[in-house]
Amino acid sequence: MRIDKPGAKRGVSVFSYAGDYGVTMQLEDILADIHNMGARGLEILANSHIPDYPHPSEAWVERWFELLNKFDLVPVEYGHWVDSRLYAGRELTTEESLAMLVRDFKIAHMLGFRILRTNLGVIDETLTPVQNWKEFIQAALPYAEKYDVVMCPEIHEPTTLDSAMVQEYIEFIEQTGTKHFGLNIDFGIFREKKLPKDDEKGRPPFRHSRPEELGLYLPYVYCCHAKFIEMSDDLEELYIPYERIVSVLEEHNWDGYLLSEYEGFHRGEPGYASDQVRRHQAMLKRLIGE
């Protein structure tokens, strides 16, 4: 297996193929497509892409590694949730949340993932996490160290980099000194142009971060969701300023994977993802200088 150079590297989230997965493509087809684009990094969503989750069979795990070797892919990020709204009328306790985390640590470790996109339960539209997040994340740190994983909440629109939530995450990292909790930055937070749905009646306009703000946060960033809405025939993203984002990553010598995540107008419809992801990967290849 070849070793990738330091710096920004290309990968793909299987979530991009939501309209095709199980309809026109199976997991092996998707991995073959990603390999054909020259990308290596891979993100899966635990409850979507692992049959019989959270109890994958030995046969499936064996097949998983066969596919990684066949297509020369690297398991980069494992998407999972602390499902705080699992029970009607109450949120999960700290103990229940911890048990859910440890369960996924074990699965991620078994499948070769080190970075976890750990989405926490939220209490409002601005994605404020549940009140006891510090308690169960603190309790999970020894287990994260044992299984050598890093929990990374996703910083996603409408959250901004300068929000109180992100500052709390960073304060937690600084106070604990942990290397097992960090951030996943979703590039949708840098979107500059309006989407059609932004004009829906009653929806307040979102404020977005500027790519130039990103450098301050990169020491805490283990992975990025290279979100994109639509790629043009000229291989340009129409809504998100990728050149400025990648420039900041290069300026700060950030080393990690950019995982293409298609969330465009045809997400959920079969037949669109492969072409759009392929265009996006071509753009990334140009921008990071492969």
Side-chain angles (χ1 to χ4, degrees), residues 120 129 133 153 165-173 181 183:
L120 308 178
W133 75 265
M165 181 176 73
V166 174
Q167 305 314 309
E168 270 198 275
Y169 287 153
I170 291 175
E171 287 173 11
F172 178 85
I173 295 168
F181 187 79
L183 304 176

Side-chain angles (χ1 to χ4, degrees), residues 70-91:
K70 178 178 180 180
F71 298 118
D72 191 25
L73 295 173
V74 178
V76 170
E77 188 170 57
Y78 173 98
H80 72 123
W81 290 260
V82 178
D83 193 359
S84 297
R85 302 294 178 86
L86 183 62
Y87 301 110
R90 71 173 182 88
E91 295 175 355

Side-chain angles (χ1 to χ4, degrees), residues 82-84 90-98 101 120-123 128-140 168 172:
V82 178
D83 193 359
S84 297
R90 71 173 182 88
E91 295 175 355
L92 292 183
T93 65
T94 295
E95 292 74 20
E96 289 169 331
S97 301
L98 174 61
L101 284 170
L120 308 178
V122 300
I123 60 175
T128 303
V130 290
Q131 289 188 341
N132 65 337
W133 75 265
K134 290 182 184 178
E135 286 76 15
F136 62 73
I137 293 296
Q138 177 85 52
E168 270 198 275
F172 178 85

Side-chain angles (χ1 to χ4, degrees), residues 92-147:
L92 292 183
T93 65
T94 295
E95 292 74 20
E96 289 169 331
S97 301
L98 174 61
M100 195 171 285
L101 284 170
V102 174
R103 177 196 69 189
D104 278 298
F105 293 173
K106 294 177 180 178
I107 300 171
H109 180 76
M110 178 173 60
L111 298 180
F113 291 95
R114 183 167 186 268
I115 302 171
L116 278 62
R117 190 224 55 194
T118 303
N119 275 6
L120 308 178
V122 300
I123 60 175
D124 58 29
E125 288 185 347
T126 59
L127 309 182
T128 303
V130 290
Q131 289 188 341
N132 65 337
W133 75 265
K134 290 182 184 178
E135 286 76 15
F136 62 73
I137 293 296
Q138 177 85 52
L141 291 179
Y143 298 95
E145 182 176 4
K146 176 181 178 180
Y147 292 104

Side-chain angles (χ1 to χ4, degrees), residues 35-288:
H35 169 72
N36 185 257
M37 299 173 194
R40 295 199 71 214
L42 188 67
E43 180 195 47
I44 63 170
L45 306 187
N47 65 343
S48 296
H49 304 128
I50 301 177
D52 303 316
Y53 170 81
H55 305 291
S57 68
E58 290 183 11
W60 187 86
V61 174
E62 182 178 345
R63 181 59 176 159
W64 165 253
F65 284 105
E66 288 176 354
L67 293 175
L68 292 182
N69 289 329
K70 178 178 180 180
F71 298 118
D72 191 25
L73 295 173
V74 178
V76 170
E77 188 170 57
Y78 173 98
H80 72 123
W81 290 260
V82 178
D83 193 359
S84 297
R85 302 294 178 86
L86 183 62
Y87 301 110
R90 71 173 182 88
E91 295 175 355
L92 292 183
T93 65
T94 295
E95 292 74 20
E96 289 169 331
S97 301
L98 174 61
M100 195 171 285
L101 284 170
V102 174
R103 177 196 69 189
D104 278 298
F105 293 173
K106 294 177 180 178
I107 300 171
H109 180 76
M110 178 173 60
L111 298 180
F113 291 95
R114 183 167 186 268
I115 302 171
L116 278 62
R117 190 224 55 194
T118 303
N119 275 6
L120 308 178
V122 300
I123 60 175
D124 58 29
E125 288 185 347
T126 59
L127 309 182
T128 303
V130 290
Q131 289 188 341
N132 65 337
W133 75 265
K134 290 182 184 178
E135 286 76 15
F136 62 73
I137 293 296
Q138 177 85 52
L141 291 179
Y143 298 95
E145 182 176 4
K146 176 181 178 180
Y147 292 104
D148 192 26
V149 295
V150 184
M151 297 171 279
C152 295
E154 181 180 13
I155 309 307
H156 189 286
E157 182 184 34
T159 305
T160 54
L161 287 172
D162 62 357
S163 67
M165 181 176 73
V166 174
Q167 305 314 309
E168 270 198 275
Y169 287 153
I170 291 175
E171 287 173 11
F172 178 85
I173 295 168
E174 296 288 349
Q175 289 170 3
T176 60
T178 185
K179 299 298 183 183
H180 295 279
F181 187 79
L183 304 176
N184 171 317
I185 301 297
D186 182 287
F187 289 171
I189 67 171
F190 302 119
R191 178 167 62 84
E192 293 186 327
K193 296 181 181 179
K194 292 172 61 175
L195 302 176
K197 65 181 181 180
D198 291 340
D199 290 324
E200 291 176 1
K201 185 177 180 180
R203 176 172 179 173
F206 291 151
R207 184 172 67 87
H208 293 84
S209 298
R210 295 179 299 106
E212 292 73 23
E213 300 174 60
L214 180 57
L216 181 65
Y217 301 88
L218 286 176
Y220 311 99
V221 177
Y222 288 81
C223 194
C224 291
H225 269 175
K227 170 72 58 62
F228 69 102
I229 308 301
E230 186 173 356
M231 295 296 300
S232 72
D233 292 338
D234 296 327
L235 305 182
E236 299 287 350
E237 213 293 326
L238 299 178
Y239 293 88
I240 297 170
Y242 264 86
E243 291 202 11
R244 288 163 56 198
I245 296 170
V246 172
S247 177
V248 172
L249 297 177
E250 291 180 339
E251 178 185 347
H252 291 269
N253 299 311
W254 184 78
D255 184 19
Y257 277 90
L258 307 180
L259 298 166
S260 293
E261 186 186 39
Y262 173 55
E263 201 164 352
F265 305 122
H266 297 287
R267 183 172 66 88
E269 299 178 36
Y272 287 93
S274 180
D275 175 68
Q276 283 286 300
V277 173
R278 190 171 297 274
R279 295 181 186 206
H280 190 254
Q281 283 291 310
M283 179 190 70
L284 289 181
K285 185 175 181 179
R286 171 177 59 82
L287 291 177
I288 66 177

